[in-house]
Coordinates of all heavy atoms in Angstrom, one line a residue:
D1 N -10.9 14.5 19.4 CA -9.5 14.2 19.2 C -9.0 14.8 17.8 O -9.4 14.3 16.7 CB -9.3 12.7 19.2 CG -7.9 12.3 19.2 OD1 -7.0 13.1 18.8 OD2 -7.6 11.2 19.7
A2 N -8.1 15.8 17.9 CA -7.6 16.4 16.7 C -6.8 15.4 15.8 O -6.8 15.6 14.6 CB -6.8 17.6 17.0
Q3 N -6.1 14.5 16.4 CA -5.3 13.6 15.7 C -6.1 12.6 14.8 O -5.7 12.2 13.8 CB -4.4 12.7 16.6 CG -3.3 13.5 17.3 CD -2.5 12.7 18.2 OE1 -3.0 11.7 18.8 NE2 -1.2 13.0 18.4
L4 N -7.3 12.4 15.2 CA -8.2 11.5 14.4 C -8.6 12.2 13.1 O -9.0 11.5 12.1 CB -9.5 11.1 15.2 CG -9.2 10.1 16.3 CD1 -10.5 9.8 17.0 CD2 -8.7 8.8 15.7
R5 N -8.6 13.5 13.1 CA -9.0 14.2 11.8 C -8.1 13.8 10.6 O -8.5 13.8 9.5 CB -8.9 15.7 12.0 CG -10.0 16.2 12.9 CD -10.0 17.7 13.0 NE -10.8 18.1 14.2 CZ -10.3 18.8 15.2 NH1 -9.1 19.3 15.2 NH2 -11.1 19.0 16.3
E6 N -6.9 13.4 10.9 CA -5.9 13.0 9.9 C -6.3 11.7 9.2 O -6.0 11.5 8.1 CB -4.5 12.9 10.4 CG -4.0 14.3 10.9 CD -2.6 14.1 11.5 OE1 -1.9 13.1 11.2 OE2 -2.2 15.0 12.3
I7 N -7.0 10.8 10.0 CA -7.3 9.5 9.4 C -8.8 9.4 9.0 O -9.2 8.3 8.6 CB -7.0 8.4 10.4 CG1 -7.8 8.5 11.7 CG2 -5.5 8.4 10.8 CD1 -7.9 7.2 12.5
V8 N -9.6 10.4 9.2 CA -11.0 10.3 8.8 C -11.2 9.8 7.4 O -12.2 9.0 7.2 CB -11.7 11.7 9.1 CG1 -13.1 11.7 8.4 CG2 -11.9 11.9 10.6
P9 N -10.5 10.2 6.4 CA -10.7 9.6 5.1 C -10.4 8.1 5.0 O -10.9 7.4 4.1 CB -9.8 10.3 4.2 CG -9.4 11.6 4.9 CD -9.5 11.2 6.3
A10 N -9.7 7.5 5.9 CA -9.2 6.2 5.8 C -10.2 5.1 6.2 O -10.2 4.0 5.5 CB -7.9 6.0 6.7
P11 N -11.1 5.2 7.2 CA -12.0 4.1 7.6 C -12.8 3.7 6.4 O -13.4 4.5 5.7 CB -12.8 4.7 8.7 CG -12.0 5.8 9.3 CD -11.2 6.4 8.1
G12 N -12.9 2.4 6.3 CA -13.8 1.8 5.2 C -13.1 1.7 3.9 O -13.5 1.0 3.0
R13 N -11.9 2.4 3.7 CA -11.2 2.3 2.4 C -10.3 1.0 2.4 O -9.7 0.7 3.4 CB -10.3 3.5 2.3 CG -9.6 3.5 0.9 CD -8.6 4.6 0.8 NE -9.0 5.9 1.3 CZ -8.1 6.8 1.7 NH1 -6.8 6.6 1.5 NH2 -8.5 7.9 2.2
R14 N -10.3 0.4 1.3 CA -9.5 -0.8 1.2 C -8.3 -0.4 0.3 O -8.5 -0.1 -0.9 CB -10.2 -2.0 0.6 CG -11.2 -2.6 1.5 CD -11.6 -4.0 1.0 NE -12.3 -4.6 2.1 CZ -11.9 -5.5 2.9 NH1 -10.6 -5.9 2.8 NH2 -12.6 -6.1 3.8
N15 N -7.1 -0.5 0.8 CA -5.9 -0.2 0.0 C -5.3 -1.6 -0.4 O -5.0 -2.4 0.4 CB -4.9 0.5 0.8 CG -5.4 1.9 1.2 OD1 -6.0 2.6 0.4 ND2 -5.2 2.3 2.5
R16 N -5.1 -1.7 -1.7 CA -4.5 -2.9 -2.3 C -3.2 -2.5 -3.0 O -3.3 -1.8 -4.0 CB -5.5 -3.6 -3.2 CG -6.7 -4.0 -2.4 CD -7.5 -5.1 -3.1 NE -8.6 -5.4 -2.2 CZ -9.7 -5.9 -2.5 NH1 -9.9 -6.1 -3.8 NH2 -10.6 -6.1 -1.7
H17 N -2.1 -2.9 -2.4 CA -0.8 -2.6 -3.0 C -0.2 -3.8 -3.6 O -0.4 -4.9 -3.1 CB 0.1 -2.0 -1.9 CG -0.5 -0.8 -1.3 ND1 -0.6 0.4 -1.8 CD2 -1.1 -0.7 0.0 CE1 -1.2 1.3 -1.0 NE2 -1.5 0.6 0.1
T18 N 0.6 -3.6 -4.6 CA 1.2 -4.8 -5.3 C 2.7 -4.4 -5.6 O 3.0 -3.2 -5.7 CB 0.5 -5.2 -6.5 OG1 1.2 -6.2 -7.2 CG2 0.3 -4.0 -7.5
T19 N 3.5 -5.4 -5.7 CA 4.9 -5.1 -6.1 C 5.1 -5.4 -7.6 O 6.3 -5.3 -8.0 CB 5.8 -6.1 -5.3 OG1 5.4 -7.4 -5.6 CG2 5.7 -5.8 -3.8
E20 N 4.1 -5.7 -8.3 CA 4.2 -6.0 -9.7 C 4.9 -4.9 -10.6 O 5.8 -5.2 -11.4 CB 2.9 -6.3 -10.4 CG 2.4 -7.7 -10.0 CD 3.3 -8.8 -10.3 OE1 3.8 -8.8 -11.5 OE2 3.6 -9.6 -9.4
K21 N 4.6 -3.7 -10.3 CA 5.2 -2.5 -11.1 C 6.7 -2.5 -10.9 O 7.4 -2.2 -11.9 CB 4.5 -1.2 -10.6 CG 4.5 -0.2 -11.6 CD 3.7 1.0 -11.1 CE 3.1 1.8 -12.2 NZ 2.4 3.0 -11.7
A22 N 7.2 -2.8 -9.7 CA 8.6 -2.8 -9.5 C 9.3 -4.1 -9.9 O 10.4 -4.1 -10.4 CB 8.9 -2.5 -8.0
A23 N 8.5 -5.2 -9.8 CA 9.1 -6.5 -10.1 C 9.4 -6.7 -11.5 O 10.4 -7.3 -11.9 CB 8.2 -7.6 -9.5
R24 N 8.5 -6.2 -12.4 CA 8.7 -6.5 -13.8 C 10.0 -5.9 -14.4 O 10.8 -6.7 -15.0 CB 7.5 -5.9 -14.6 CG 6.4 -7.0 -14.7 CD 5.2 -6.5 -15.6 NE 4.2 -5.9 -14.6 CZ 3.7 -4.7 -14.8 NH1 4.0 -3.9 -15.8 NH2 2.9 -4.2 -13.9
P25 N 10.2 -4.6 -14.3 CA 11.5 -4.1 -14.9 C 12.7 -4.6 -14.2 O 13.8 -4.7 -14.8 CB 11.3 -2.6 -14.8 CG 10.3 -2.3 -13.7 CD 9.4 -3.5 -13.7
L26 N 12.6 -4.9 -12.9 CA 13.8 -5.4 -12.2 C 14.0 -6.9 -12.3 O 15.0 -7.4 -11.9 CB 13.7 -5.0 -10.7 CG 13.6 -3.5 -10.4 CD1 13.3 -3.3 -8.9 CD2 14.9 -2.8 -10.8
D27 N 13.0 -7.6 -12.8 CA 13.0 -9.0 -13.0 C 13.3 -9.7 -11.6 O 14.1 -10.6 -11.5 CB 14.0 -9.5 -14.1 CG 13.7 -10.9 -14.4 OD1 12.6 -11.4 -14.4 OD2 14.7 -11.6 -14.8
R28 N 12.7 -9.2 -10.6 CA 12.9 -9.7 -9.2 C 11.6 -9.9 -8.6 O 10.6 -9.2 -8.8 CB 13.7 -8.7 -8.4 CG 15.0 -8.2 -9.0 CD 16.2 -9.0 -8.6 NE 16.3 -9.2 -7.2 CZ 17.3 -9.8 -6.6 NH1 18.3 -10.1 -7.3 NH2 17.3 -10.0 -5.3
R29 N 11.5 -10.9 -7.7 CA 10.3 -11.1 -6.9 C 10.7 -10.9 -5.4 O 11.7 -11.3 -5.0 CB 9.8 -12.6 -7.0 CG 9.4 -12.9 -8.4 CD 8.0 -12.3 -8.7 NE 7.7 -12.4 -10.1 CZ 7.3 -11.3 -10.8 NH1 7.3 -10.1 -10.3 NH2 7.1 -11.4 -12.1
P30 N 9.8 -10.2 -4.7 CA 10.1 -9.9 -3.3 C 10.0 -11.2 -2.5 O 9.3 -12.2 -2.8 CB 8.9 -9.0 -2.9 CG 7.8 -9.2 -3.8 CD 8.5 -9.6 -5.1
R31 N 10.7 -11.2 -1.4 CA 10.7 -12.3 -0.5 C 9.3 -12.3 0.3 O 8.8 -11.2 0.5 CB 11.8 -12.3 0.5 CG 13.1 -12.4 -0.2 CD 14.3 -12.4 0.7 NE 14.1 -11.6 2.0 CZ 14.8 -11.8 3.1 NH1 15.8 -12.7 3.1 NH2 14.6 -11.1 4.2
P32 N 8.9 -13.4 0.8 CA 7.7 -13.4 1.6 C 7.8 -12.5 2.9 O 8.9 -12.5 3.5 CB 7.5 -14.9 2.0 CG 8.3 -15.6 1.0 CD 9.4 -14.8 0.6

């Protein structure tokens, strides 16, 4: 499957994203 080649780096990787960088200067908190 050629389409799977695009995601090969992804398995096993844990991505942790946060909104802190945007929340601080805007003084806003995202909704749940």
Side-chain angles (χ1 to χ4, degrees):
D1 193 336
Q3 290 180 332
L4 286 177
R5 289 187 198 121
E6 296 176 21
I7 66 161
V8 166
R13 184 187 322 156
R14 289 200 170 258
N15 296 317
R16 298 201 176 150
H17 303 284
T18 178
T19 58
E20 285 304 311
K21 209 175 208 182
R24 271 184 267 129
L26 299 173
D27 194 31
R28 308 265 313 185
R29 294 285 168 237
R31 297 181 331 157

